[in-house]
C-alpha cells in the first residue's frame, strides 16, 4: 500500500507560490517538506522545512534531494524531463513523469486530448516554412501560433491574421517547434480541477469561470455562472483525461466555452491558479487535496460551500492588501516576493460572495 505517513518528507520540485501553498498544506497535515529550486529566496523556501538551491541539471544535488525525501511532486511544468526521470529512479514521483511528458508539450498534449475523443481547437504542427504555410491553409485565420514548450501566461504565443504575420511571428518565436491553433471565438473561459488518488478514485471541483487580462488570469468566479449547462461535460472530460494519463494528484483542465460545448485548451498536472478559491470556498482546498492524493489518503470533499471570487494581485497591485485588509470577507494571500515586476503574480485575494 502506498500510504506515506505524517512525519515523512515530501519533496517539491519548484519554489514558487504553488510550492509555498503546497508546503503549508503539507505542514498542517504533519509532513515535512523539502523544496528543490534553482532560485534563491523562493516563496516556497520561506515556509518549507528544508530547501536545496540547485540547477535542474545538477545530478549530484538532485540525487541527494531524492534520497532525503519519501515522495516527490512538482509545482510547475517546465522542469527538464531528465530531472524527473532521474528522481523517479530514486523515489516515487507523483504524478509520474510520463504525465508531465505529455502535458508540458502543446502538440503532444493536444494529440493526446483528441485521442481520448475530446474536442480541442483545430491545430497543426509547425516545424518548417512549408508546415507553416500548410497549417495556415488548413486552419485559416485568425489563428494563434504557440511554442510547443516553455510557454506560460501568454508568453510564447502570437495571434496571426495572415500568412505574412505568421512568418514574422515564427521568426520572432525563434523558429522553434510550434503549434498553430484556430482562434476560438469563445463565450467564456472555464476550468475544472480533478483530483485522482492512488486507488484511482477521482473527485472534481465545481466548474469555474476565468477572466484573463493580457493573457494572464485576472479573476476566477467560483462556481461559474454557467455551471448548470456545462458541469456534467467538464467532469466527464476531466475524469477521462486524469484516468487516461493515470494521474495521481491534481489535474487542471482549461477550457473554452462555445456554442458547441467545451473545447479543452490546456492541462496542468498540479495545483492551478484557478483553484486558489478552494482554500476558503471548499471543504478541502486544492493544496491539501494534492497532498492527500500523493500521500495515499482518501480524497476530501470538493463541493463548493461558499461562492467566491479570486482576484490575482499582479505587480504593484499587491499593495491593495491595505484595502482588502479592511474587508472581513476578503482573504489575502501574499507570496513573499520582494521584486514586483508588472504582471508578476505577487499574491491573490479570495472574496466570499454574499449571495
Ligand atoms: N486557440 C485560441 N483561441 C482563442 N484564444 C486563445 C487560444 N489559445 C489561447 N488563447 C488565449 O490566450 C490565453 C493563454 O493561452 P494558453 O494556451 O492557456 O497558454 P498559457 O496559459 O500557457 O500562456 C488563453 O487563456 C486564452 O485567453
Ligand atoms: Mg493557460
Amino acid at each position: 500500500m502506498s500510504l506515506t505517513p505524517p512525519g515523512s518528507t515530501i519533496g517539491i520540485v519548484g519554489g514558487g507560490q504553488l510550492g509555498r501553498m503546497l508546503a503549508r498544506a503539507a505542514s498542517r497535515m504533519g509532513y515535512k517538506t523539502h523544496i528543490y529550486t534553482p532560485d534563491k529566496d523562493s516563496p516556497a523556501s520561506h515556509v518549507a522545512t528544508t530547501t536545496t538551491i540547485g540547477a535542474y541539471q545538477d545530478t549530484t544535488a538532485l540525487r541527494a534531494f531524492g534520497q532525503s525525501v519519501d515522495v516527490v511532486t512538482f509545482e510547475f511544468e517546465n522542469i527538464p524531463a531528465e530531472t524527473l526521470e532521474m528522481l523517479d529512479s530514486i523515489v516515487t514521483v507523483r504524478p509520474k513523469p510520463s504525465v508531465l511528458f505529455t502535458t508540458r508539450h502543446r502538440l503532444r498534449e493536444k494529440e493526446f486530448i483528441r485521442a481520448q475523443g475530446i474536442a480541442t481547437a483545430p491545430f497543426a504542427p509547425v516545424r518548417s516554412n512549408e508546415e507553416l504555410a500548410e497549417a495556415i491553409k488548413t486552419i485559416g485565420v485568425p489563428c494563434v501560433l504557440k511554442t510547443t514548450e516553455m510557454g506560460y501566461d501568454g508568453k510564447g504565443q502570437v495571434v496571426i491574421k495572415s500568412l505574412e504575420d505568421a512568418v514574422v511571428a515564427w521568426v520572432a518565436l525563434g523558429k522553434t517547434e510550434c503549434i498553430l491553433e484556430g482562434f476560438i471565438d469563445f463565450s467564456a473561459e472555464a476550468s475544472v480541477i480533478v483530483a485522482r488518488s492512488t486507488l484511482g478514485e477521482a473527485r472534481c471541483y465545481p466548474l469555474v469561470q476565468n477572466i484573463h487580462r493580457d493573457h494572464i488570469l485576472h479573476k476566477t468566479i467560483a462556481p461559474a455562472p454557467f455551471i448548470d449547462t456545462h458541469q456534467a461535460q467538464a467532469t466527464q472530460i476531466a475524469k477521462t483525461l486524469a484516468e487516461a494519463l493515470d494521474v495521481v494528484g491534481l489535474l487542471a483542465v482549461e477550457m473554452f466555452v462555445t456554442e458547441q460545448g467545451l473545447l479543452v485548451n490546456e492541462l496542468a498536472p498540479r495545483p492551478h491558479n484557478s483553484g486558489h478559491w478552494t482554500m476558503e470556498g471548499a471543504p478541502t482546498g486544492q493544496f491539501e487535496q494534492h497532498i492527500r492524493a500523493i500521500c495515499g489518503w482518501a480524497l476530501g470533499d470538493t463541493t463548493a460551500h461558499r461562492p467566491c471570487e479570486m482576484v490575482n494581485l499582479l505587480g504593484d497591485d499587491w499593495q491593495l492588501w491595505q484595502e482588502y485588509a479592511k474587508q472581513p470577507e476578503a482573504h489575502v494571500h501574499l507570496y513573499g516576493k520582494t521584486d514586483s515586476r508588472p504582471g508578476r503574480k505577487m499574491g491573490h485575494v479570495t472574496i466570499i460572495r454574499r449571495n
Side-chain angles (χ1 to χ4, degrees):
M1 183 50 208
S2 42
L3 187 69
T4 306
S8 308
T9 301
I10 300 172
I12 301 171
V13 183
Q17 63 268 16
L18 301 178
R20 177 181 175 102
M21 291 184 274
L22 275 173
R24 273 181 48 210
S27 158
R28 203 198 81 207
M29 293 160 74
Y31 292 99
K32 299 191 188 84
T33 50
H34 186 160
I35 306 293
Y36 191 98
T37 171
D39 302 322
K40 292 199 183 82
D41 193 33
S42 64
S45 69
H46 300 171
V47 303
T49 318
T50 318
T51 300
T52 297
I53 299 173
Y56 291 130
Q57 292 76 15
D58 184 343
T59 46
T60 312
L62 277 170
R63 183 166 296 116
F65 167 73
Q67 284 164 350
S68 75
V69 299
D70 299 289
V71 61
V72 164
T73 192
F74 46 85
E75 60 112 50
F76 86 128
E77 271 112 314
N78 296 326
I79 304 165
E82 308 76 53
T83 303
L84 283 189
E85 294 290 349
M86 195 205 132
L87 289 171
D88 196 46
S89 69
I90 303 172
V91 59
T92 305
V93 177
R94 288 186 171 144
K96 58 188 177 185
S98 62
V99 174
L100 203 57
F101 179 78
T102 306
T103 59
R104 72 196 295 270
H105 184 277
R106 293 188 197 274
L107 261 173
R108 278 200 291 272
E109 180 177 61
K110 287 226 160 55
E111 276 158 7
F112 166 78
I113 295 165
R114 203 173 265 185
Q116 312 311 313
I118 293 167
T120 66
F123 66 90
V126 173
R127 288 166 293 225
S128 63
N129 291 325
E130 292 70 36
E131 275 190 339
L132 179 60
E134 186 62 34
I136 295 275
K137 212 159 81 192
T138 346
I139 287 167
V141 287
C143 52
V144 190
L145 187 66
K146 303 179 180 176
T147 57
T148 51
E149 294 195 279
M150 302 299 277
Y152 69 98
D153 288 344
K155 293 186 177 66
Q157 58 177 279
V158 187
V159 176
I160 308 283
K161 303 222 164 72
S162 66
L163 179 57
E164 295 74 57
D165 272 9
V167 173
V168 174
W170 196 43
V171 171
L173 292 173
K175 286 201 160 196
T176 84
E177 184 186 46
C178 281
I179 179 173
L180 190 80
E181 295 180 7
F183 188 88
I184 305 301
D185 185 20
F186 49 74
S187 58
E189 292 193 73
S191 62
V192 71
I193 296 174
V194 63
R196 191 163 171 277
S197 75
T198 47
L199 302 173
E201 179 204 2
R203 278 186 188 233
C204 247
Y205 284 99
L207 186 67
V208 300
Q209 179 176 4
N210 297 321
I211 297 165
H212 292 79
R213 278 191 191 163
D214 300 328
H215 299 280
I216 305 176
L217 183 64
H218 162 59
K219 184 191 274 194
T220 294
I221 302 169
F226 42 76
I227 188 164
D228 293 344
T229 325
H230 297 291
Q231 179 74 58
Q233 192 194 0
T235 303
Q236 160 73 20
I237 287 173
K239 287 191 174 175
T240 303
L241 293 172
E243 177 80 37
L245 283 166
D246 194 18
V247 168
V248 172
L250 300 180
L251 180 71
V253 184
E254 292 180 18
M255 294 167 290
F256 298 137
V257 182
T258 73
E259 275 172 17
Q260 289 73 45
L262 300 171
L263 300 181
V264 174
N265 176 37
E266 61 170 352
L267 308 177
R270 54 163 170 80
H272 193 261
N273 197 167
S274 71
H276 290 353
W277 67 274
T278 58
M279 283 189 277
E280 285 88 15
T284 318
Q286 64 165 345
F287 298 97
E288 173 184 343
Q289 191 78 307
H290 188 73
I291 301 296
R292 293 175 79 106
I294 65 168
C295 290
W297 296 35
L299 299 175
D301 187 355
T302 52
T303 329
H305 57 63
R306 301 194 284 190
C308 304
E309 280 185 17
M310 187 289 306
V311 178
N312 270 336
L313 300 174
L314 304 178
D316 287 342
D317 275 3
W318 71 271
Q319 293 175 8
L320 292 173
W321 72 265
Q322 298 175 73
E323 287 310 310
Y324 289 121
K326 297 173 194 155
Q327 300 174 27
E329 64 281 8
H331 299 272
V332 172
H333 299 247
L334 290 171
Y335 308 147
K337 298 180 185 177
T338 42
D339 180 14
S340 106
R341 293 187 300 276
R344 188 168 195 218
K345 290 177 180 168
M346 305 296 289
H348 72 268
V349 56
T350 302
I351 299 149
I352 309 293
R353 293 213 308 263
R354 283 175 222 222
N355 50 2

